[in-house]
Amino acid sequence: RKEVEQDPGPFNVPEGATVAFNCTYSNSASQSFFWYRQDCRKEPKLLMSVYSSGNEDGRFTAQLNRASQYISLLIRDSKLSDSATYLCVASNNAGNMLTFGGGTRLMVKP
Amino acid sequence: EAGVTQSPTHLIKTRGQQATLRCSPISGHTSVYWYQQALGLGLQFLLWYDEGEERNRGNFPPRFSGRQFPNYSSELNVNALELEDSALYLCASSLGERGGQPQHFGDGTRLSIL
């Protein structure tokens, strides 16, 4: 079993749609969680950290459920520019090593 | 503020050769991480350096090695190159061993083995 698992997709959605991705992690002692975005043949870029109480950044909302060991990302009012692969990331016990999920591909169509 | 910089952007080698990839972290970051991303695959952790020392190593053979210099820049060396080493090699930096810090990535070096 992978340490961080994501549905690879692709998720094909129309512009303006709301889309949600889930991710599960196996290390119950993971301390920190992040969502990264990776465009084709580019480097991953930090999208947002994920806090226990949930957090929002514009159209993006991240949630953490420690009991069920899953993380979610909600994107509202999808834009064409949101098309990318979204990587779910969990840290180790100490929080200084990150494990990346395989990514979920999102394609927003006009 | 300059981000993580990597060089070269592209590197073409043949089987059996050796490759050296370089990375400069964000100013103030002491930890440097190396990842391999083969085409269509996820990020595979290679190495982690902090304060000049190797802190952790991924599941890669010993021909993958590296070092971190006193200015916190880092080199990744790959010896006896094989065709399957063709990949994007990404370097990331963070604020050291203190937990909870995100990693910030460079643009990567695309290594092609002919």
Side-chain angles (χ1 to χ4, degrees):
Chain A
R1 184 187 170 190
K2 292 182 181 177
E3 288 188 49
V4 179
E5 293 208 60
Q6 298 181 248
D7 180 344
F11 284 60
N12 295 296
V13 302
E15 268 188 294
T18 295
V19 60
F21 309 135
N22 286 334
C23 158
T24 58
Y25 61 95
S26 61
N27 183 357
S28 60
S30 292
Q31 294 221 354
S32 307
F33 306 90
F34 308 94
W35 282 101
Y36 280 72
R37 168 197 169 124
Q38 186 172 25
D39 292 285
C40 189
R41 298 175 72 84
K42 297 283 191 180
E43 78 279 15
K45 292 186 177 176
L46 178 67
L47 181 64
M48 59 196 304
S49 301
V50 185
Y51 302 118
S52 297
S53 54
N55 48 302
E56 189 174 303
D57 182 1
R59 297 183 293 109
F60 299 84
T61 301
Q63 297 277 357
L64 168 62
N65 185 320
R66 285 191 184 271
S68 301
Q69 294 181 214
Y70 81 77
I71 308 150
S72 65
L73 177 68
L74 182 79
I75 305 176
R76 290 181 299 278
D77 188 23
S78 299
K79 312 289 184 191
L80 294 177
S81 56
D82 293 335
S83 296
T85 296
Y86 291 83
L87 303 171
C88 172
V89 185
S91 76
N92 63 348
N93 305 29
N96 50 22
M97 285 288 303
L98 301 183
T99 300
F100 288 76
T104 297
R105 191 168 170 214
L106 170 66
M107 298 180 69
V108 181
K109 301 291 178 65
Chain B
E1 178 187 271
V4 177
T5 57
Q6 291 187 244
S7 64
T9 304
H10 293 94
L11 190 57
I12 299 174
K13 295 283 186 178
T14 57
R15 286 180 62 191
Q17 284 189 314
Q18 184 259 351
T20 297
L21 288 62
R22 296 179 176 83
C23 172
S24 291
I26 291 172
S27 178
H29 286 190
T30 61
S31 271
V32 170
Y33 306 81
W34 287 96
Y35 295 87
Q36 181 196 66
Q37 189 173 35
L39 192 62
L41 298 181
L43 286 162
Q44 302 295 318
F45 167 71
L46 268 165
L47 290 159
W48 168 31
Y49 292 95
D50 184 73
E51 297 288 357
E53 293 190 11
E54 183 180 301
R55 300 294 187 179
N56 205 348
R57 182 181 182 86
N59 189 24
F60 280 83
R63 57 191 187 82
F64 287 83
S65 65
R67 53 181 173 166
Q68 187 179 33
F69 299 99
N71 66 353
Y72 303 113
S73 67
S74 177
E75 268 183 9
L76 173 68
N77 295 293
V78 189
N79 294 321
L81 287 164
E82 300 178 3
L83 293 177
E84 53 265 34
D85 296 335
S86 294
L88 178 66
Y89 288 83
L90 291 160
C91 172
S93 73
S94 74
L95 283 167
E97 287 192 299
R98 188 157 57 96
Q101 302 303 312
Q103 295 175 14
H104 300 272
F105 287 83
D107 293 343
T109 293
R110 194 163 296 280
L111 176 62
S112 299
I113 312 303
L114 304 178

